Amino acid sequence: MVHMKGSGGQVSAVTDAITCLPPEMGLAVLQQLDVPSLCRAAQTCSSWCEFISDTDWLWKKVCQNCQDVDPKLVEMDRADGLPWKVAVMRNYGAKGIQRQWRLGFFSRPSSYEDIPDRCMCEMDADTWGEILQLELDR
């Protein structure tokens, strides 16, 4: 909320831009954001947080537009009944790459071309140890 002085010196409250728009317009603006920007927008204030967190349709659109989320993993999560927001957050960026390694998505490539471009991310020794053990057990 922004406070502005009117011509008479009175202070009036102006509500934020997203929640004063019709919901469809607010969603149209927010669906243009990438995942990190949408998460930062949710931290702006409690009304934005509630609006963003509670709108499953918005997370579905963000997920469909996101290059950093594996659709196969999202489909698995959605089949398990998880909401779109949870599916996106579980599979975005490094978390998604680690999950792909744990599930064996990168096991036994037949050639270099079979290895996807985005199969590496920063991981600690324990995570690599877990992944290597899973690979040995396969």
Side-chain angles (χ1 to χ4, degrees):
M1 186 175 301
V2 177
H3 296 283
M4 300 181 71
K5 285 191 176 184
S7 58
Q10 297 174 326
V11 176
S12 63
V14 178
T15 56
D16 62 82
I18 295 295
T19 55
C20 71
L21 290 172
E24 302 81 25
M25 290 179 72
L27 289 171
V29 170
L30 292 171
Q31 79 178 18
Q32 303 302 315
L33 300 177
D34 60 8
V35 174
S37 298
L38 190 60
C39 291
R40 283 191 297 275
Q43 295 173 350
T44 302
C45 63
S46 58
S47 62
W48 283 31
C49 181
E50 184 178 328
F51 186 73
I52 291 168
S53 295
D54 294 344
T55 309
D56 208 40
W57 176 88
L58 172 62
W59 286 98
K60 178 180 179 180
K61 288 293 185 187
V62 168
C63 180
Q64 291 170 340
N65 295 331
C66 184
Q67 304 276 324
D68 294 329
V69 175
D70 187 319
K72 290 179 267 180
L73 293 176
V74 172
E75 286 177 30
M76 289 169 45
D77 287 346
R78 294 290 299 149
D80 288 342
L82 294 176
W84 280 101
K85 179 183 176 186
V86 174
V88 170
M89 298 311 291
R90 281 185 72 180
N91 299 299
Y92 178 76
K95 287 182 183 178
I97 292 170
Q98 290 173 13
R99 188 163 179 228
Q100 288 173 319
W101 275 102
R102 287 184 179 107
L103 293 173
F105 280 41
F106 308 127
S107 294
R108 299 188 178 110
S110 58
S111 70
Y112 175 76
E113 288 80 28
D114 290 345
I115 301 171
D117 292 336
R118 294 189 38 82
C119 68
M120 297 301 292
C121 67
E122 190 174 311
M123 292 189 239
D124 60 28
D126 291 338
T127 303
W128 273 118
E130 177 187 348
I131 290 167
L132 290 173
Q133 186 59 54
L134 289 168
E135 287 298 317
L136 291 171
D137 294 344
R138 289 190 226 282

